[in-house]
Amino acid sequence: MAISMEGSQPYRKMATTCRTRPVSSKRIVWPKLDPLMLPDRKYRVTLLRRDLIQSAARLWRLGYPELYGSPHEFLLDSECYEQWVALWEQWEKDAPTKVYCMSVLEEVGTGEVLSASVLTKFERNLQVEFSFVATLPGFRQSRLTDELRRFVRKVAAGSGAEYFTTFCETWHDITQTWCLKGGWKIAGIFPGNFVRWNGDNEEYRGCTVHFYRFAKEALDYVTRPEEWHLAPAAKKVWKTLAEVNGGL
């Protein structure tokens, strides 16, 4: 049943400083990229296959155990993957419907997943979030993961999204630096944003640095500061962010 907006009015009429467009259906579809064999032919980057699920879940347990007890705990549990993550073998079905897309760095000879990255889609917002990346402890800071990151960027770019977001743990300045060097803009720091495991039977609320970037013509449809209504403290925050980011 279609929603009738008859008699409804926005709280405040906006978009006087940007373009508007008709409301329409929106789709985010994960593109099916072919596996990428690295030059030494020992490793390849690929979208998640069914036979890699067990190894992928193990990777997340070893490489990002902080997710235990959080909303993203499913990444640690191989039994949850079929429900949530798009799989290579059923891509035509999963690409438009599954919320998560996982790309992995696979050791060809063993089928072991050495590193992985997860994208999350928010379809009605034409948004893709670069949610997580994890690498086995023994392979961290190796050049092998560079190809994985490039592969993931191609997946996101081909998804149909116009707005990209990501967040980095405050204990991991390496990924923060990647974002800043990659042209992402800082949205803010969210104290206590996610529950995080601290080993044994302990947890805490971790803090995250959030970033954003636009694609296609998305920026044309973004309202500008001159029509915003900000409280004085929020104005100070925006002034600082604008100075750091160079504007929107």
Side-chain angles (χ1 to χ4, degrees):
M1 180 178 176
I3 298 172
S4 173
M5 300 303 294
E6 185 177 355
S8 302
Q9 292 291 332
Y11 177 85
R12 179 177 282 118
K13 194 70 172 176
M14 295 291 288
T16 61
T17 57
C18 65
R19 294 170 59 189
T20 63
R21 61 192 178 195
V23 177
S24 62
S25 60
K26 303 175 180 69
R27 295 190 75 205
I28 296 290
V29 180
W30 303 122
K32 192 175 187 180
L33 270 61
D34 290 331
L36 174 66
M37 188 70 73
L38 272 58
D40 60 11
R41 306 196 69 80
K42 293 181 179 179
Y43 308 98
R44 68 177 156 224
V45 179
T46 182
L47 298 164
L48 186 67
R49 302 190 311 269
R50 184 173 280 105
D51 65 300
L52 296 177
I53 288 177
Q54 292 290 339
S55 183
R58 177 179 179 272
L59 160 76
W60 291 102
R61 292 194 298 271
L62 297 177
Y64 212 142
E66 289 84 2
L67 299 180
Y68 178 64
S70 80
H72 302 96
E73 183 183 81
F74 75 91
L75 289 171
L76 313 180
D77 185 355
S78 60
E79 295 186 2
C80 295
Y81 279 46
E82 292 258 3
Q83 179 181 357
W84 294 105
V85 185
L87 296 177
W88 176 268
E89 292 86 349
Q90 53 195 45
W91 203 259
E92 289 70 24
K93 173 186 174 184
D94 287 356
T97 60
K98 294 295 177 68
V99 174
Y100 299 99
C101 177
M102 187 184 300
S103 302
V104 303
L105 172 67
E106 172 194 5
E107 187 174 50
V108 176
T110 64
E112 184 178 18
V113 175
L114 307 178
S115 186
S117 182
V118 173
L119 298 173
T120 307
K121 68 177 177 180
F122 302 88
E123 192 163 58
R124 296 298 296 272
N125 204 41
L126 287 178
Q127 175 185 353
V128 163
E129 176 186 84
F130 288 67
S131 300
F132 299 105
V133 60
T135 303
L136 287 178
F139 285 86
R140 288 173 181 164
Q141 299 187 38
S142 72
R143 303 300 297 180
L144 290 172
T145 59
D146 292 349
E147 289 295 346
L148 175 63
R149 292 199 299 275
R150 281 190 279 269
F151 188 88
V152 172
R153 288 197 293 267
K154 290 180 182 179
V155 174
S159 68
E162 66 177 15
Y163 183 58
F164 298 110
T165 55
T166 192
F167 59 87
C168 305
E169 305 281 3
T170 48
W171 43 257
H172 203 259
D173 55 323
I174 295 173
T175 49
Q176 296 168 34
T177 301
W178 287 350
C179 288
L180 293 169
K181 288 184 177 180
W184 292 80
K185 297 193 175 185
I186 300 175
I189 299 175
F190 292 13
N193 193 39
F194 289 116
V195 170
R196 288 292 181 254
W197 183 67
N198 199 39
D200 299 321
N201 195 37
E202 294 181 354
E203 69 176 19
Y204 62 100
R205 297 202 68 92
C207 306
T208 46
V209 185
H210 290 250
F211 298 85
Y212 67 94
R213 66 188 307 168
F214 301 106
K216 302 180 180 179
E217 298 179 340
L219 186 57
D220 293 347
Y221 299 95
V222 178
T223 61
R224 298 310 197 259
E226 47 266 38
E227 68 169 308
W228 298 353
H229 297 261
L230 300 179
K235 286 183 179 180
K236 291 181 181 180
V237 172
W238 171 249
K239 181 179 179 181
T240 299
L241 285 173
E243 290 175 355
V244 171
N245 291 328
L248 285 172

